[in-house]
Amino acid sequence: MRRKNTKTTLLGVLALAFVGQFAVSQGYLLGFWRKNYSPGGIVANNLDPSQLALSLFGFREFLAGMLWVRADSFFDQGNYDAVLPIIRLCTILDPKQIDVYATGMWHIGYNFTDEEQRSDRRYIPSALALGKEGARQNPNTYEMFFETGWMWYHKVDDDYGQAVKWFEEAAKREDILPARRNLLWSAYQKAGRPDESLNYLYDLYDRAKGRLKDDQQFGNRQQYDTIENNLDTMLVRMVQRGWVAQHSEEGKKNNWYANGAYDTKPPFDVGFSAKVTVLSDRVLRVEGTWNVLPVGTRIRIVLRDADYPQAKMAELDWDSSDSVNLDPPRNLTFMQDQLFVRNRHFNRKIDMSKDPTMYPFIAKNYLVEFYYNPRSAPPHIQDKFGFNGEGFTDKNFLRTDVRETIQFKPAKFDDHKFPIEFEQIPLKDIPQRVMYTTLSLTQEQIRRKGEWSDKTPVVKTVNYVESTDSKDKDDVIYIPNLRVSGTGDAKAPAEAPKK
Amino acid sequence: MGAILSISTTTVGEAIRRRVLLVILMIGVLLISIVPALSVLSARSDLTTTISSMLFVLRIVSVLIAIVLTVYMIPNEIERRTIYTILSKPVQRWQFLVGKYLGAVLALGLMIGLMAGVMLILFYFFKHPPMERMLDLLRQAILYFIEVSLLAAVAIFFSTFVTPLVNFFLSAGVWGVGSLLNPLYDSFANNQGSAPIIRGMAKFVTSILPNFSNYDVKNPIINPGVTIQNETTYYLGTAGYGLLYITILIIAGILIFDRREV
């Protein structure tokens, strides 16, 4: 009888314990573990069965770490193609390894180049998609927000509103380093929004002052001095470039800009012209004029399929992808380079013949695009051209419809405070004045086939005038006399080559 | 209580004398010792590699020791007929089983403690980490100890009615599936495309089998920077969960062992 009672009691305890473990596990532990300890991501769809089995046994981080060690050795050997799948695998196995995301993004965006060190920009949407994924997986730290912003700011070097968007998100995170927080002011400025840049600089100034007050260490002193200097420069620029005159209430009311002498007045005509000669199969010479003597002008040239699917004017839709595709479209051609202006003209040989996989030239028709945006200009040139090209013009090729100034505002967040939707606000009162024009070439012309096998294809803008200058003068850069004016409309010294 | 204590202390002594366990333990300590050297291969993330590799070795070796230690416990006593000597004294069968289990847990504690100690010393010596990271590693080692204590209960439960070889695979299988539960459930929950029936099955299995992945909290240790709220409550919860499941397995084991002819 007693034995039977004991057995019943044990069965009762067993049943209670079972219900208890069920309640604890399902009611609390599972949810907490998923939120805080799960590496996250969807491994089921992205790994083959053997990888999946190993990874699910709780060794995802270890596997990712070992693979990353292997990736390091491939980096050292320069075997960049082999690194790509490892990066992807590591990010799937352990999406919390920010180092893999950051390095992978940089690798995809920067390291795939042709023989002349031109980036394969077909990879950039994937690099940005990896950055976005990294930020989404690690929303509590600033790092991937900053890295993605940096890719827009430095590599894309255009559409600065996107850089602002990501830097703003990075700056909201508590762990951002002071020096990295600073970059947003420059992004605001490049995005054509100097008012916000100035306000942000004041905010940075207050922070730096506070830090210096708390701790007089050298780093804090240096930060404070740098920000103070930037603030001074920004104020001077906003006045001298006529921004305050044009955009302040008082300036508008009293017509300051029309009546005042500002560096951006009158707009300076850069006189762009260009000629493209196909020297041999996939080898071009691009030459032309740009009537700005100070050194520092780089004109963007793009050669692409005329019907490239994600093409926009002089760029791709870099933000077109949310999924990481490590295999860029092999049948499409997109070449982007810079034309460096010296002594008011440029002359550049672009050799794509050594990289047929990067430049397949399969399509029939191609566009050569020339683009210059004063927002990307160095400060000494921007002093004349203004923040948004107010002091810039081109008699033939000035456009205001190529780029819109867009402000992004987070409109929707997920559970982890990651912004999943942004409202796009076009800032109509801040137009971008850019130079943009195109020339057309056919596949036969670029490949020197058919009727072009023994004829040299030449295409040029209508205003192009052949120069009689000798090319050997290209090696000497003429520096304008700053006493004349110090801006792009400086009179060239007598010995400078004239077009 | 005295009977349980003397059985458990004898079990610890037996465990320490078993060469196979000592060999596994030595291999574990050796592997942990070479991990810092391995991490120099990954210049960009050597801390990540070090921590993940050390914890990997600690977990795998602990699991192996737990299974090898416990699958032979009861069958060996029966085979060598020493159980008759014990049960002929005023010792109940349940006391024998509980004593054996507690002995196994104590032995596991000693062995994991040794490996964790080596791990922490080497980690401190080679990487000079802040104290919080040392504590994080220690916390993970303690959770692994609870995990293998639960695994030992699984193996003890099976050892009351199956042979050691079958038990080895059964226990390893239960640990394998139990380690899959959270990640699998997580993966299905994140993947909206997975079939509802599969998601339902994942939830069902998660509720039935012991969930070993609850003790795997290394991700934020490997990738620090995330603040976790109420972590202590979670640790207490997992300890409580382990205790409840161990109770289930030991009671079930007692009920089966009580009816078994030896």
Side-chain angles (χ1 to χ4, degrees), chain A residues 3 21-22 28 30 32-34 37-38 44-45 56-59 61 66 68-69 72 75 94 96-97, chain B residues 41-45 53 56 176 180 182 186 190-191 207 213 216 218-219 222-223 229 231 234 241 258:
Chain A
R3 192 180 168 85
Q21 70 80 23
F22 178 81
Y28 176 63
L30 188 58
F32 195 95
W33 188 91
R34 279 190 65 205
Y37 302 118
S38 166
N45 289 355
L56 288 177
F57 274 118
F59 303 127
E61 297 88 350
M66 289 298 104
W68 198 224
V69 170
D72 249 11
F75 265 122
D94 188 2
K96 299 288 187 288
Q97 286 202 17
Chain B
L41 296 173
S42 181
R44 274 184 287 276
S45 50
S53 307
F56 168 76
L180 285 176
N182 277 356
D186 191 33
N190 285 341
N191 185 5
S207 339
S213 36
D216 184 15
K218 65 180 174 300
N219 195 275
I222 295 168
N223 308 300
Q229 307 286 336
E231 214 174 358
Y234 179 80
Y241 170 81
D258 204 38

Side-chain angles (χ1 to χ4, degrees), chain A residues 308-372:
Chain A
Y308 198 105
Q310 284 95 33
K312 291 159 82 176
M313 282 188 267
E315 66 173 353
L316 289 180
D317 184 0
W318 310 115
D319 204 20
S320 60
S321 176
D322 275 335
S323 61
V324 182
N325 174 14
L326 300 178
D327 201 18
R330 303 268 177 208
N331 56 341
L332 301 174
T333 303
F334 188 93
M335 185 283 296
Q336 182 178 317
D337 207 339
Q338 309 272 10
L339 302 168
F340 181 50
V341 177
R342 286 184 302 189
N343 304 333
R344 295 176 170 163
H345 72 274
F346 53 88
N347 188 332
R348 173 98 199 252
K349 186 178 164 188
I350 297 174
D351 186 351
M352 295 169 282
S353 63
K354 293 167 195 147
D355 303 276
T357 52
M358 196 164 146
Y359 310 113
F361 289 108
I362 290 169
K364 290 279 174 226
N365 296 301
Y366 294 86
L367 271 188
V368 184
E369 298 177 290
F370 296 95
Y371 170 77
Y372 180 83

Side-chain angles (χ1 to χ4, degrees), chain A residues 60-276:
Chain A
R60 285 169 66 172
E61 297 88 350
F62 170 72
L63 270 180
M66 289 298 104
L67 284 168
W68 198 224
V69 170
R70 189 80 187 105
D72 249 11
S73 65
F74 284 133
F75 265 122
D76 296 340
Q77 293 161 12
N79 188 357
Y80 294 154
D81 283 321
V83 176
L84 282 184
I86 298 182
I87 286 171
R88 194 67 198 117
L89 207 53
C90 288
T91 55
I92 291 166
L93 285 168
D94 188 2
K96 299 288 187 288
Q97 286 202 17
I98 293 169
D99 184 50
V100 180
Y101 273 115
T103 313
M105 192 183 172
W106 155 76
H107 175 57
I108 296 170
Y110 282 81
N111 285 353
F112 289 90
T113 60
D114 65 10
E115 291 290 321
E116 295 187 339
Q117 302 304 310
R118 260 188 302 269
S119 276
D120 189 342
R121 290 185 180 253
R122 296 172 302 176
Y123 279 100
I124 288 183
S126 284
L128 288 167
L130 193 68
K132 270 186 275 185
E133 186 187 297
R136 196 180 309 121
Q137 294 287 356
N138 301 281
N140 296 316
T141 174
Y142 82 96
E143 288 193 54
M144 287 316 299
F145 293 93
F146 179 84
E147 295 293 343
T148 312
W150 177 255
M151 181 70 79
W152 280 103
Y153 180 87
H154 181 257
K155 187 66 188 175
V156 174
D157 200 14
D158 203 352
D159 305 318
Y160 294 103
Q162 288 276 9
V164 166
K165 170 177 112 178
W166 288 98
F167 285 154
E168 277 179 338
E169 286 302 317
K172 285 179 195 167
R173 269 73 190 170
E174 299 273 322
D175 61 337
I176 189 167
L177 302 174
R180 291 193 157 188
R181 189 188 284 279
N182 294 353
L183 200 56
L184 178 55
W185 83 265
S186 174
Y188 276 131
Q189 188 192 319
K190 279 178 176 272
R193 291 147 61 182
D195 289 336
E196 284 165 273
S197 182
L198 185 67
N199 287 338
Y200 190 70
L201 270 168
Y202 276 121
D203 178 50
L204 290 175
Y205 181 74
D206 289 341
R207 284 171 186 269
K209 207 168 158 183
R211 274 198 304 274
L212 187 64
K213 201 175 155 192
D214 293 342
D215 186 351
Q216 292 278 329
Q217 62 156 290
F218 177 71
N220 289 345
R221 162 66 57 189
Q222 204 177 26
Q223 277 284 321
Y224 175 79
D225 289 345
T226 305
I227 291 165
E228 193 179 42
N229 186 37
N230 288 341
L231 189 52
D232 285 348
T233 312
M234 189 68 193
L235 283 167
V236 171
R237 281 179 184 159
M238 285 177 75
V239 173
Q240 293 200 176
R241 293 178 187 179
W243 179 268
V244 176
Q246 280 182 304
H247 294 269
S248 67
E249 286 305 315
E250 210 177 339
K252 281 186 214 168
K253 201 167 73 185
N254 297 314
N255 224 4
W256 282 355
Y257 193 70
N259 301 324
Y262 295 100
D263 291 350
T264 46
K265 282 175 62 183
F268 179 74
D269 186 353
V270 294
F272 174 79
S273 71
K275 179 176 91 167
V276 178

